[in-house]
Amino acid sequence: MSDNDIFGQAIARLDEALEFADIDREAVARLRHPKQVLEVSIPVRMDNGDLQIFTGYRVRHDDTRGPTKGGIRYHPGVTLSEVKALAFWMTLKCAVAGIPYGGGKGGVTVNPKELSRLELERLTRGFTSQIADFIGPETDIPAPDVYTNAMVMGWLMDEYSKIHRKRSPGVVTGKPIPLGGSQGREDATGRGAYYCIKSLEAAEGWRPGDMTVAVQGFGNAGQHVARLLQEDGYKIVAVSDSKGGIHNCEGFDIPSLCTAKNETRVLRAVYCHGSVCELVDADVISNEELLELDVDILIPAALENQITGRNAGQIKAPYVFEVANGPTTSDADQILSQKGTTVVPDVLCNAGGVTVSYFEWVQNRGGFYWTVDEVHERLREIMVREFAEVWNFAKSRGTSPRTAAYALALGRIGDAVESQGTARYFAGN
Ligand code: NAD
């Protein structure tokens, strides 16, 4: 299996969970293969008049438990294997969260930072028209992921609605609120991770003021989890983006960093009073150095394959919360487990995003919208409940939270498969 075979590596981890999972072999065999894979080419007229062709993918991994659900990523590193792995993780994640969806994912191989806003809109509308027969409110529902946002989702909904000649807000989640988005979707992924950290705080009995935190990836998910933790007294001592990171043992003021980053696209160590920001002391560090800092909590919130067999031995944080999808490779997992590091896995830790996406879809179908407090409370209830399920399973069976989460998810998917009959049933056993 090559390093680029992200899907192969993701599927291989199923085997570790099988000894703990109550699931029929047939159901497992189905999970090893995505249900449907679509590759499209997207011709886009660029601002200078040239025609450029981009490649896009949409994968529906498994829909036994409901329509497939998962984000769309715009990134130069997008490959079919990556999209298949991300779709597979979505199948597990929806089962871990106990929401009635299967897993899907999409992506376009593009560097969106090199596109103008108009080019980005044309790309999104072109991609939507290529996948318009594949997605739908009852079949496959996209959402934002790396380098896509609410506005991109709004364009997608608009284009899909034009093609199908009816307004279809339920075809996509993470939309702008005036176009049918949900309150509380913007910070849902970070907030879900925050509820996981609060659950472990209660279990382990630490005090927020004693805890230092490093966050790799200061985008949607990373910014919100950092903000919520700081509001609670945690000290966020390092953050980074694709260009590198900053570190200060005294901790940063996260709203100031967010203001500066979101306005200038540059991550700078600043403290802002209103709209006036002044520089504060900080060391410039690389993403690799951030991962190896001597902190209590490490939050990878960027891309997959960041903690690997090469650097896992140097990870000092005793707690890792995987806000990104797939940040830890399986050889790294083994090293971390031998060191006694607690890793709260992606399929649980970042499930807040898809959970509030589910709330958005429910609201679109009902045409009745909830308050932000209702969204937060329902999200909190699900995250706290499912964290406890995973944690108690791991403790009682003597396994890792990741294996526990996979085993619980497999059990739930297995229940759905067996409800339709497997070889055992048809053989009369
Ligand atoms: P985003 O585009 O808002 O932010 C990504 C951030 O990562 C940016 O700050 C970018 O500069 C940084 N980054 C990119 N490459 C990096 C690198 N090599 N090292 C360090 N930082 C790097 O994306 P997001 O929505 O916050 O997603 C981040 C992660 O969370 C992804 O793995 C995504 O799949 C996962 N996730 C997101 C959601 C969601 O609702 N947005 C839900 C579940 C999981």
Side-chain angles (χ1 to χ4, degrees):
M1 200 186 306
S2 84
D3 266 8
N4 296 330
D5 184 9
I6 305 178
F7 180 63
Q9 291 169 21
I11 288 289
R13 280 186 172 173
L14 273 181
D15 298 329
E16 293 161 31
L18 282 180
E19 87 176 84
F20 297 95
D22 180 16
I23 183 167
D24 191 281
R25 298 234 155 259
E26 267 185 30
V28 182
R30 284 160 70 145
L31 294 177
R32 293 188 196 279
H33 306 275
K35 182 184 168 87
Q36 287 179 309
V37 173
L38 179 66
E39 177 176 333
V40 297
S41 50
I42 314 153
V44 177
R45 182 70 59 196
M46 308 303 280
D47 292 346
N48 66 3
D50 286 352
L51 189 75
Q52 206 167 317
I53 314 282
F54 297 92
T55 302
Y57 308 96
R58 187 74 199 167
V59 172
R60 301 183 65 223
H61 174 260
D62 179 78
D63 65 352
T64 315
R65 299 183 64 260
T68 49
K69 183 89 190 77
I72 290 180
R73 176 174 294 195
Y74 287 172
H75 193 274
V78 164
T79 62
L80 178 57
S81 181
E82 181 190 57
V83 178
K84 280 160 64 176
L86 288 162
F88 161 71
W89 287 322
M90 286 305 298
T91 299
L92 294 181
K93 193 182 303 177
C94 294
V96 170
I99 55 181
Y101 285 142
K105 203 80 182 190
V108 177
T109 314
V110 57
N111 184 353
K113 294 176 190 169
E114 290 172 357
L115 266 51
S116 71
R117 290 178 179 178
L118 278 168
E119 288 168 343
L120 200 62
E121 180 181 358
R122 289 196 285 271
L123 173 75
T124 303
R125 290 185 183 278
F127 183 46
T128 307
S129 89
Q130 300 285 36
I131 63 172
D133 295 326
F134 200 74
I135 59 173
E138 315 289 340
T139 46
D140 180 35
I141 307 133
D145 192 73
V146 174
Y147 297 154
T148 55
N149 57 20
M151 186 170 272
V152 171
M153 297 305 117
W155 290 329
L156 193 156
M157 179 197 77
D158 185 53
E159 192 65 24
Y160 180 91
S161 299
K162 278 184 192 157
I163 292 166
H164 290 274
R165 292 201 167 274
K166 62 175 178 198
R167 191 175 172 83
S168 310
V171 69
V172 66
T173 58
K175 300 177 291 291
I177 290 175
L179 298 182
S182 176
Q183 299 285 345
R185 176 61 184 87
E186 177 69 17
D187 75 357
T189 303
R191 182 173 288 276
Y194 164 76
Y195 292 141
C196 287
I197 296 170
K198 295 303 281 180
S199 295
L200 198 52
E201 175 190 304
E204 303 278 88
W206 69 59
R207 289 186 329 144
D210 296 337
M211 303 297 277
T212 53
V213 183
V215 182
Q216 185 203 38
F218 203 56
N220 172 292
Q223 288 187 16
H224 286 298
V225 68
R227 173 182 59 80
L228 290 164
L229 286 173
Q230 193 194 22
E231 282 172 10
D232 253 14
Y234 287 77
K235 210 187 268 184
I236 317 302
V237 296
V239 300
S240 67
D241 67 9
S242 59
K243 296 190 189 73
I246 48 178
H247 175 227
N248 179 332
C249 294
E250 297 307 311
F252 291 111
D253 179 58
I254 298 302
S256 296
L257 298 193
C258 294
T259 303
K261 163 87 183 162
N262 298 337
E263 279 175 8
T264 62
R265 315 306 306 158
V266 179
L267 180 61
R268 286 181 307 139
V270 290
Y271 185 81
C272 302
H273 323 258
S275 58
V276 181
C277 298
E278 64 190 47
L279 286 171
V280 295
D281 277 348
D283 299 325
V284 173
I285 54 170
S286 67
N287 267 298
E288 294 70 35
E289 287 167 331
L290 179 139
L291 294 173
E292 298 172 13
L293 285 174
D294 190 4
V295 290
D296 300 300
I297 295 179
L298 175 62
I299 303 183
L303 297 172
E304 53 270 17
N305 293 352
Q306 299 299 302
I307 306 176
T308 66
R310 282 186 289 279
N311 64 0
Q314 277 75 258
I315 303 290
K316 297 179 192 68
Y319 300 99
V320 176
F321 288 83
E322 293 185 335
V323 168
N325 283 305
T328 313
T329 60
S330 68
D331 50 346
D333 243 350
Q334 283 172 14
I335 298 168
L336 293 178
S337 142
Q338 278 158 13
K339 281 159 56 115
T341 310
T342 299
V343 180
V344 177
D346 48 6
V347 291
L348 170 66
C349 190
N350 69 29
V354 73
T355 301
V356 178
S357 274
Y358 167 57
F359 297 165
E360 182 174 329
W361 181 75
V362 167
Q363 293 169 78
N364 291 152
R365 289 159 73 88
F368 181 73
Y369 289 82
W370 309 350
T371 65
V372 72
D373 289 344
E374 285 171 306
V375 171
H376 288 172
E377 186 44 33
R378 287 181 166 134
L379 173 64
R380 199 192 59 78
E381 205 177 289
I382 289 178
M383 295 305 301
V384 169
R385 184 184 69 217
E386 299 307 334
F387 182 92
E389 283 263 342
V390 169
W391 190 250
N392 295 338
F393 188 109
K395 289 284 162 210
S396 65
R397 304 289 295 273
T399 188
S400 68
R402 186 184 320 280
T403 300
Y406 274 44
L408 276 170
L410 289 174
R412 290 171 183 173
I413 297 163
D415 287 347
V417 172
E418 285 182 46
S419 314
Q420 302 177 61
T422 59
R424 211 164 48 199
Y425 169 79
F426 291 111
N429 298 324

